[in-house]
Amino acid sequence: MMNFNHAKLRGRIREIFGTEYKFAQAMKLSPQSLSKKLNSKVEFTQKEIERAIELLHIPPEEITLYFFYSQVQDLELSS
């Protein structure tokens, strides 16, 4: 499984919901389950991504930046 950088997603969660706990509730996930997803231990499902972009008002053209931005891309950008 690829490790994704969810820093931007975490920031958006805090901006809109204040805490990851409140976002987990809105997503109907346990806080532990959300934590595993944000730490790339478990992947987000397509349905979860769809729900998250709705709740967080993420424009379609920015979905990749929030959910599929990898550590490899960070390294490529800094080279």
Side-chain angles (χ1 to χ4, degrees):
M1 180 155 83
M2 182 180 272
N3 283 330
F4 292 107
N5 181 342
H6 288 115
K8 189 169 181 75
L9 180 58
R10 286 179 188 271
R12 185 66 167 228
I13 290 168
R14 287 187 198 104
E15 179 183 322
I16 303 292
F17 283 89
T19 67
E20 290 177 11
Y21 179 82
K22 290 179 183 176
F23 179 66
Q25 287 180 314
M27 288 285 294
K28 298 183 178 16
L29 295 171
S30 70
Q32 296 83 2
S33 180
L34 178 62
S35 177
K36 287 178 184 178
K37 292 171 188 293
L38 291 173
N39 290 306
S40 295
K41 305 288 186 218
V42 176
E43 293 180 350
F44 282 95
T45 67
Q46 185 172 343
K47 293 270 187 207
E48 289 167 342
I49 291 171
E50 290 170 358
R51 179 77 175 130
I53 62 174
E54 179 183 315
L55 291 170
L56 297 170
H57 314 290
I58 296 172
E61 65 273 9
E62 294 182 13
I63 293 169
T64 301
L65 295 174
Y66 286 93
F67 291 94
F68 304 108
Y69 196 79
S70 72
Q71 304 293 46
V72 172
Q73 287 167 311
D74 283 340
L75 294 174
E76 290 171 356
L77 289 176
S78 65
S79 296

